[in-house]
Amino acid sequence: MNVSLYPRHGRGRTTLRVAGWLLLVGLGIGLTWYGFAWTEEDDQIAGTPSPVPVSAQATARPTDTALPSPTPPSTPTPADTPAPSRTDTPSSTTTPEPTAIPATATPATPYVVAGADGVNVRSGPGINHTRLGYLDPGARADVTGREGDWWQIQYEGAPGWVFGELVTAFNADQAEPPPATPTTEAEPPSTGDEAWPAEVFRLINQVRAEHGLPPYTYNETLERAAQLHGQDCQQRGECSHTGSDGSNVGTRIRRAGYDAAGWSEVLVYSSSPQEAVDWWMDETPPDDPHRSALLSTWVTEIGIAVVPTGRGDYHFIAVFGRPKTS
């Protein structure tokens, strides 16, 4: 076997060839990289900043957009709130006992309640005053004054008067109202009919006195019965002792609430109280039913109504009664 101690000339050329190949490959890679970098630089728009590496972005934030870190609220310490001084709290906490306020007694309001027959309300303390209305049986009205046997009451927002014997007064003794100034009766109208019932009553009692007889007592329940019958006569255009419903005087006074042991009635067409009384008295016994009623000793009470007929004169109606005794 032949062994050569010297390299062959062919092995040296191979080494050179390999080195040249590697040099070419490295040069190709460098040119490729250089060309790629040059192309990206050309593609950039003028004035556009170059991209910043990620590592640089993470470490170089602009300070003008940085958000301030929230400042946690300070926790007050006991020193922030001053402790109350010893003078803030009174040394004694005893609560004073409340003082009782004495109750003021409210005076009871006096009032009246109409009796079983009801009661007429007038403009003054007397039957010669104008009739304003009527309180039904059991109706209540506050008292505002008093004069004699008459109570001044509040009636439909205005003063009125009722006869004391026909009502029951309450709280009058505990809170007696001051005496009221009597109502001055106004002059009657041109017809004078508002005051005519009182005038008829006066004239009848005057005639009785001339004959030595006691005066009649005026009764407002009988007046109510007479007034209702007069209105019935006015509507019918005629008047008699029989009503449009067939009633007689006894039925009418019981209907009005008068408990009678006896009764009678007189009526006439006339133009004045004096003329009416004169007509009733202008009779000769024994044919004197009207005169006998005016001078009766059996009946004791009277109620009177004067109602226009619509023909220039008036219906004068006087109703007499005697109450039942208990």
Side-chain angles (χ1 to χ4, degrees), residues 107-112 140-145 151-154 168-178:
T109 301
Y111 64 94
V112 295
R140 169 178 168 166
D142 289 340
V143 170
T144 57
W151 291 101
Q152 186 186 56
I153 64 169
Q154 192 70 13
T168 302
F170 294 89
N171 303 326
D173 295 337
Q174 294 85 344
E176 184 74 16

Side-chain angles (χ1 to χ4, degrees), residues 87-228:
T87 57
D88 294 339
T89 304
S91 58
S92 176
T93 58
T94 303
T95 304
E97 291 294 331
T99 303
I101 300 175
T104 303
T106 302
T109 301
Y111 64 94
V112 295
V113 175
D117 297 335
V119 62
N120 285 326
V121 181
R122 297 188 177 274
S123 61
I127 61 171
N128 58 318
H129 292 270
T130 305
R131 181 176 178 274
L132 301 178
Y134 177 77
L135 290 182
D136 293 324
R140 169 178 168 166
D142 289 340
V143 170
T144 57
R146 183 177 186 178
E147 182 175 324
D149 294 332
W150 291 78
W151 291 101
Q152 186 186 56
I153 64 169
Q154 192 70 13
Y155 179 72
E156 296 184 351
W161 293 83
V162 292
F163 187 49
E165 293 185 6
L166 299 179
V167 299
T168 302
F170 294 89
N171 303 326
D173 295 337
Q174 294 85 344
E176 184 74 16
T181 302
T183 305
T184 302
E185 186 70 15
E187 290 295 326
S190 57
T191 59
D193 58 337
E194 291 186 0
W196 281 2
E199 179 64 9
V200 172
F201 177 64
R202 186 189 69 81
L203 292 172
I204 290 175
N205 277 337
Q206 178 178 305
V207 169
R208 289 178 64 81
E210 293 172 357
H211 288 76
L213 299 172
Y216 281 128
T217 300
Y218 200 85
N219 185 280
E220 296 193 342
T221 304
L222 294 176
E223 177 193 333
R224 179 171 174 80
Q227 184 72 28
L228 292 174

Side-chain angles (χ1 to χ4, degrees), residues 232-254:
D232 182 46
C233 294
Q234 185 184 54
Q235 292 172 0
R236 288 187 294 162
E238 61 178 0
C239 199
S240 69
H241 294 293
T242 302
S244 60
D245 59 353
S247 62
N248 58 28
V249 60
T251 301
R252 290 192 292 271
I253 64 175
R254 283 193 296 266

Side-chain angles (χ1 to χ4, degrees), residues 74-83:
S74 60
T75 303
T77 62
D80 295 336
T81 304

